[in-house]
Amino acid sequence: MEFLSDLLGLNWVSMLAQTLNTAVPIVLAALGGILAERSGVINIALEGMMLIAAYAAFAIGVVTGSTLLGLCGGIAAGALLAAFHAVISIKYRTDQTISGTVLNIFAVGITAYLYRQFNMTESVETFQQWNIPILSDIPVIGEIFFQQQPLVYFTIILVGVVQLALFRTTWGLRTRAIGEHPRAADTAGIKVNRMRYLNVILSGALAGLGGAWLIVEAVGSFTPGMTTGRGFMGLAAMIFGNWTPIGAFLAALLFTIPGAVQVKLQLINAPIPYQFLGMLPYILTIVVLVGAVRRNKPPAAIGKPY
Amino acid sequence: MTNTTKSPSPILKVWDAIWTPLLSVLVALIIAGIILIITGANPLTVYVSLVKGAFIQPGAFAETLTIATPYILLGLGVSLGFTAGLFNIGAEGQFYVGAVVSTYIGYAVTGLPAIIHLPLALIGGALAGALWAGIAGYFKATRGAHEVITTIMLNYIAFALTDYLINGPLRGKGSAPRTPEVLDSALLPKLFSSSDNLHWGFILALVILVGYWFLTQRMPLGLQIRTVGANPDAARYAGISVNRMTVVSMLISGALCGLAGASEVLGRYHYMPAAFTAGYGFDAIAISLLGQGNPIGVLIASVLFGAMNAGSGFMQLEANVTPAIISVLQAFIIVFVAAPAIIRSFFKK
């Protein structure tokens, strides 16, 4: 009974704020996945791009003492690995799932090596919370949406921007065209492979931003393998959201609820082993995939080199 | 080099199958060497100490083969998935559940003679791995859920589950979180009574390797699996159930990975530690790609990876380089194996 009253006494509003905050990297990964897949390239290496970006953000942030430069370094590192993925899969026409997996392995290896070889013990100063004037004073809603760190706002804006760009601009139309029917797009004068390079590199930059979030907003220091499946959850969110930014955003929130609940339950020593709470996001990802896949259709030309 | 756009002759195929991995290893050594130089180490010292630590130091080769043992089984497991057109990147999770189940059978089931107890523990591990991979196979077949995502998610679930078991119900009496020791009757005995760790799991892996070849090349089931992998539409037309083959292939693939976990705890550790140090899942993919899906290739790749890991400790002592450089080296190897066109373009002129 004591547990129940503890449960009711928890700050559920701050839990929802936490859910939104921790969804950031998954949303960014999902946006990256959408850009790549809409143009017809599978990007299963989002996880690796995030990991490399996290290390780059950490190392550059520590060396320069600037969190902002760390953030830029992370984005660049993600884009660089994505460029590699683009070359392997577009120019050399390698199986894109294999290329992506190999790059994931590469990311694990190189970051673990650099981390151990240079053994930096300092950490990066994380971005402060920005309270939006007036809006943050609104009860409940203010605390959930307007008392966050900068990348949270930026990510929400990005979701809207990518949604509009994908469905309302020439670039978006071309991207969708080369993902559905590259030959027809080519006939209409669209440079298919050039567009794909652009989209895959942008996708890496987004994943890089998501990876950098771990350093510049979440924890400030690097640990090997710290992305813990967020890139893959981003992919699942993308599928569940039917390859649309807004859909993926909502799906990503679903994955981060258990984590936020877990933090709160640990505070009150809930009689559930923490490992089971820790499993929930992964179980949810599978459930979501199983539920969504038949309903949602990927772009028609996905995975096929042109 | 050859232009292999149209069906190459068998000789060219064999040539490619041998040269792609060899050149990949060579180019990877060069690139990792450059990284070593940039980060302030001498690649020659590093590589020489690696070879010494893997083959020449006393007991080194036995250690190389000991580490290669789970790699053989895992490499075959991933290869079988590839044969069926499936990408099982959850080998590690299947390895973990296999290890924990066979450990449990190994210490909790008492009063059995070794001839029953050991096979029981091995089969238990294989079944656990099969079940774990089978979940992904079933969802792929019935719902079309991509196995790359589901198997990775199942990895994280397996880690959390074993972490819970080892810190909770299966925890031994010692201060460190680990299971009790497996009973003698369930242990894979040592091959030699010397000080090294080489055990009968290695022989078991070789037997399975032959069995794998027989299954894929000589049995109707193997033919069906290969047909589904090569061309699902043709397989459907020939009356093969693609969905059924998807599930069956994942079951076999997972069983091999689970068996690898069983062999590791019953032969090498004799208990289940809180976490294994190696990243078995990714290594398994690397070995499968490097071995080009061929059992002999998997064996050679496993010994190579075993050697790199066995030698890395000595390398760290002698050359003062973190063993993580091995993962960089391995990563470059498989980047090139996965994209043979890159390697070919290097050697074109």
Side-chain angles (χ1 to χ4, degrees):
Chain A
M1 275 309 100
E2 195 193 338
F3 166 64
L4 266 184
S5 65
D6 280 348
L7 200 63
L8 291 173
L10 282 176
N11 186 345
W12 292 94
V13 173
S14 92
M15 196 202 76
L16 289 176
Q18 172 83 0
T19 299
L20 181 62
N21 190 291
T22 48
V24 165
I26 299 175
V27 174
L28 291 170
L31 290 179
I34 289 169
L35 289 195
E37 298 214 345
R38 280 284 185 173
S39 77
V41 181
I42 299 172
N43 187 357
I44 222 134
L46 292 166
E47 177 87 9
M49 292 167 193
M50 292 174 84
L51 190 59
I52 278 202
Y55 184 79
F58 166 67
I60 294 171
V62 164
V63 170
T64 63
S66 158
T67 310
L68 195 63
L69 282 180
L71 176 67
C72 297
I75 296 171
L80 190 69
L81 194 64
F84 207 53
H85 178 58
V87 172
I88 299 179
S89 50
I90 298 169
K91 178 150 190 261
Y92 292 107
R93 308 170 73 86
T94 304
D95 182 301
Q96 292 162 8
T97 307
I98 292 182
S99 160
T101 303
V102 160
L103 291 179
N104 282 334
I105 300 175
F106 174 76
V108 172
I110 191 93
T111 52
Y113 171 70
L114 293 172
Y115 175 74
R116 302 230 160 78
Q117 191 72 6
F118 293 114
N119 202 17
M120 287 190 271
T121 48
E122 304 93 324
S123 59
V124 175
E125 198 184 330
T126 53
F127 286 138
Q128 297 287 314
Q129 181 176 314
W130 282 357
N131 291 347
I132 308 276
I134 305 170
L135 292 176
S136 60
D137 296 332
I138 306 170
V140 183
I141 291 177
E143 192 180 336
I144 296 173
F145 292 101
F146 302 111
Q147 298 179 20
Q148 295 278 8
Q149 288 165 295
L151 284 187
V152 178
Y153 305 124
F154 187 64
T155 302
I156 294 174
I157 294 169
L158 262 182
V159 169
V161 168
V162 178
Q163 178 87 23
L164 285 177
L166 204 52
F167 297 104
R168 292 279 184 277
T169 66
T170 322
W171 167 80
L173 182 65
R174 288 183 175 169
T175 296
R176 286 180 291 131
I178 61 173
E180 292 294 339
H181 206 313
R183 176 145 300 167
D186 193 6
T187 314
I190 300 171
K191 299 257 184 297
V192 174
N193 283 343
R194 192 190 291 176
M195 283 289 291
R196 284 187 175 172
Y197 271 110
L198 176 71
N199 276 33
V200 173
I201 291 169
L202 278 177
S203 134
L206 285 167
L209 182 61
W213 173 88
L214 288 167
I215 302 299
V216 302
E217 278 196 358
V219 289
S221 61
F222 184 84
T223 39
M226 73 188 300
T227 43
T228 58
R230 287 181 178 87
F232 291 103
M233 288 185 186
L235 286 175
M238 167 192 79
I239 296 170
F240 193 56
N242 207 4
W243 286 264
T244 65
I246 291 176
F249 173 68
L250 297 175
L253 290 175
L254 198 62
F255 295 146
T256 50
I257 292 172
V261 174
Q262 181 186 357
V263 172
K264 294 293 172 195
L265 288 186
Q266 264 168 346
L267 287 179
I268 57 166
N269 292 317
I272 308 166
Y274 70 90
Q275 294 98 337
F276 286 100
L277 294 167
M279 274 179 219
L280 277 177
Y282 305 113
I283 295 175
L284 257 177
T285 307
I286 295 178
V287 169
V288 155
L289 266 188
V290 167
V293 170
R294 278 284 145 89
R295 183 166 52 83
N296 299 349
K297 278 271 163 287
I302 198 154
K304 298 187 193 97
Y306 181 70
Chain B
M1 281 293 289
T2 49
N3 237 330
T4 49
T5 41
K6 282 194 180 138
S7 61
S9 73
I11 297 168
L12 276 179
K13 262 180 153 170
V14 172
W15 177 265
D16 258 11
I18 294 171
W19 280 101
T20 304
L22 265 184
L23 291 177
S24 301
V25 171
L26 187 74
V27 177
L29 282 170
I30 295 169
I31 294 181
I34 295 170
I35 293 182
L36 283 168
I37 292 172
I38 294 171
T39 54
N42 179 350
L44 214 61
T45 330
V46 171
Y47 292 154
V48 168
S49 62
L50 191 60
V51 171
K52 272 196 203 161
F55 297 105
I56 297 166
Q57 292 289 104
F61 190 53
E63 184 63 12
T64 291
L65 293 184
T66 308
I67 298 176
T69 300
Y71 283 158
I72 297 170
L73 295 167
L74 290 162
L76 291 176
V78 174
S79 297
L80 191 90
F82 275 132
T83 308
L86 293 166
F87 204 2
N88 177 10
I89 58 175
E92 189 140 4
Q94 294 143 27
F95 179 99
Y96 269 68
V97 294
V100 81
V101 167
S102 62
T103 308
Y104 181 72
I105 297 174
Y107 78 78
V109 180
T110 53
L112 291 179
I115 194 146
I116 297 171
H117 198 187
L118 173 60
L120 192 69
L122 286 170
I123 291 169
L127 283 179
L131 176 77
W132 210 249
I135 297 172
Y138 176 77
F139 286 147
K140 167 93 177 182
T142 58
R143 309 289 306 183
H146 202 304
E147 75 278 9
V148 167
I149 302 179
T150 50
T151 51
I152 276 277
M153 294 298 120
L154 284 164
N155 275 355
Y156 287 110
I157 298 169
F159 300 153
L161 192 64
T162 47
D163 185 48
Y164 164 71
L165 290 173
I166 287 163
N167 284 288
L170 303 191
R171 183 165 177 161
K173 289 203 174 66
S175 58
R178 48 173 261 198
T179 66
E181 295 266 333
V182 170
L183 301 174
D184 283 349
S185 55
L187 290 183
L188 281 162
K190 284 194 176 189
L191 261 183
F192 313 108
S193 49
S194 61
S195 58
D196 62 62
N197 288 319
L198 195 58
H199 54 86
W200 275 88
F202 180 65
I203 304 297
L204 176 71
L206 294 182
V207 171
I208 299 274
L209 189 101
V210 176
Y212 178 92
W213 174 84
F214 191 77
L215 167 72
T216 51
Q217 302 300 321
R218 289 287 178 273
M219 281 170 66
L221 178 64
L223 179 66
Q224 291 181 347
I225 291 175
R226 280 190 290 141
T227 312
V228 168
N231 189 340
D233 293 329
R236 251 177 235 119
Y237 192 69
I240 302 169
S241 161
V242 174
N243 285 346
R244 197 164 147 260
M245 283 305 121
T246 298
V247 177
V248 168
S249 306
M250 280 307 268
L251 286 173
I252 302 174
S253 174
L256 289 166
C257 299
L259 192 60
S263 151
E264 207 57 352
V265 291
L266 302 177
R268 188 166 165 210
Y269 286 86
H270 300 173
Y271 61 88
M272 173 92 183
F276 293 101
T277 45
Y280 289 105
F282 282 167
D283 287 354
I285 297 162
I287 285 161
S288 174
L289 290 174
L290 189 58
Q292 311 261 295
N294 172 318
I296 299 295
V298 167
L299 178 63
I300 296 170
S302 300
V303 173
L304 178 71
F305 273 49
M308 288 196 279
N309 284 295
S312 66
F314 187 72
M315 176 198 73
Q316 187 174 25
L317 282 179
E318 268 221 338
N320 198 22
V321 168
T322 159
I325 188 67
I326 299 300
S327 0
V328 177
L329 189 55
Q330 291 170 347
F332 275 114
I333 292 176
I334 55 164
V335 168
F336 295 131
V337 176
I342 300 181
I343 283 291
R344 277 195 214 110
S345 70
F346 277 179
F347 292 90
K348 220 162 206 167
K349 285 152 212 160

